[in-house]
Amino acid sequence: MSALMAIDELKTRGSNEGRVPAGGRPSTLALGADWTELPAATELAALLLRVPVAGVQLTEPVDFSALPHHVIVRIIALLRECSAIGARATWSLILRAEQLDLVPRLDHLPAPESITVLEKGVPSVGEWRSSRNFGLLYFRKGPKFLSVVDQRPESKNLITVNDPTMMEVFLQGLEGCAWAEVTRTPQYAAAARDLVNKGLVMRVGDHCVTLPVHMRSWPLGVALLGGTLASAGKKSEDFAE
């Protein structure tokens, strides 16, 4: 089992060209002891591409029944970025029974080790589709457009997003943000609602988050290497500008 590493240590190593102590093994990044201290999703992705880690562990259960909306969207964004760069994510999920409809909207992300439904007990993690299929919902960036591949059976589709307002809302939601930020004018509000209706953005109370994984690299061999795509090398899957 690898040692645990705090986010401050990851940042230090990131500024030191990702150097691992001599004779040491990559550590596991531990997050969640204080949900208010979560790094921004894109910041974490940039660090993990520079610093090899054994994985990312959320040390406390992700309790959708109790956590504030702004924390939930930040966690979803972090899990999405772990998937984007091939970092193993270890986490557990707590839901209320009426929140079970969230599972098919989130199960393209790394599967939790356990799912607890407060009124029902613990269902099988096998119901989480990414545990059987990789690449269920992802996007690639092109010059002035986004190409979204949705391979979930209930919404199988190839979507091209080329409207500038819709692209802006989509990209702004990658970090997880307040719903009011992406609905600031009628034009933006219409774009945000359209993305929600297409299943590309999820609204969580007064916040929202973009769901498709940015497929920067296809994570072939990552499981064998036991690290991130920083250790596997990158093969860009975005379109050339």
Side-chain angles (χ1 to χ4, degrees):
M1 181 180 295
S2 61
L4 296 181
M5 172 174 55
I7 185 64
D8 288 343
E9 183 179 350
L10 181 71
K11 291 178 179 179
T12 299
R13 292 188 185 181
S15 63
N16 195 27
E17 298 182 352
R19 188 169 61 192
V20 177
R25 297 177 57 190
S27 301
T28 296
L29 175 64
L31 299 170
D34 183 353
W35 292 120
T36 64
E37 298 297 324
L38 286 177
T42 53
E43 177 191 15
L44 178 65
L47 285 168
L48 293 181
L49 285 170
R50 294 200 302 271
V51 184
V53 299
V56 176
Q57 179 180 341
L58 302 185
T59 57
E60 295 295 324
V62 177
D63 189 349
F64 277 15
S65 71
L67 287 171
H69 297 150
H70 71 278
V71 173
I72 291 175
V73 297
R74 179 68 70 88
I75 292 170
I76 292 170
L78 287 173
L79 291 169
R80 188 200 62 232
E81 291 306 307
C82 286
S83 183
I85 62 175
R88 288 195 185 95
T90 304
W91 65 296
S92 59
L93 176 63
I94 298 175
L95 295 165
R96 295 192 304 270
E98 61 267 28
Q99 294 176 308
L100 278 171
D101 63 340
L102 296 177
V103 171
R105 298 160 69 186
L106 296 174
D107 65 358
H108 63 291
L109 302 176
E113 290 196 323
S114 66
I115 305 173
T116 300
V117 181
L118 293 178
E119 296 84 354
K120 295 186 177 182
V122 183
S124 169
V125 177
E127 297 172 3
W128 199 273
R129 288 178 290 187
S130 70
S131 62
R132 303 186 306 272
N133 299 289
F134 180 78
L136 286 169
L137 180 63
Y138 65 90
F139 77 96
R140 299 163 65 192
K141 292 178 69 175
K144 299 182 180 180
F145 73 93
L146 303 170
S147 178
V148 182
V149 177
D150 186 350
Q151 301 191 87
R152 297 171 295 181
E154 69 276 12
S155 55
K156 201 164 187 176
N157 205 356
L158 175 62
I159 302 169
T160 299
V161 179
N162 53 18
D163 174 75
T165 302
M166 193 173 292
M167 286 181 64
E168 185 176 343
V169 172
F170 183 102
L171 295 173
Q172 187 173 354
L174 288 173
E175 290 289 1
C177 62
W179 181 249
E181 292 180 24
V182 295
T183 58
R184 54 190 178 273
T185 69
Q187 183 180 10
Y188 280 88
R193 287 193 298 269
D194 193 14
L195 288 168
V196 169
N197 291 337
K198 286 181 167 68
L200 305 185
V201 167
M202 186 173 83
R203 186 172 179 181
V204 182
D206 56 358
H207 282 70
C208 63
V209 61
T210 297
L211 294 177
V213 173
H214 185 186
M215 197 61 68
R216 300 178 183 87
S217 306
W218 202 263
L220 296 175
V222 172
L224 295 176
L225 289 167
T228 67
L229 289 177
S231 59
K234 295 189 295 179
K235 175 186 175 185
S236 176
E237 289 292 334
D238 277 339
F239 299 97
E241 293 287 346

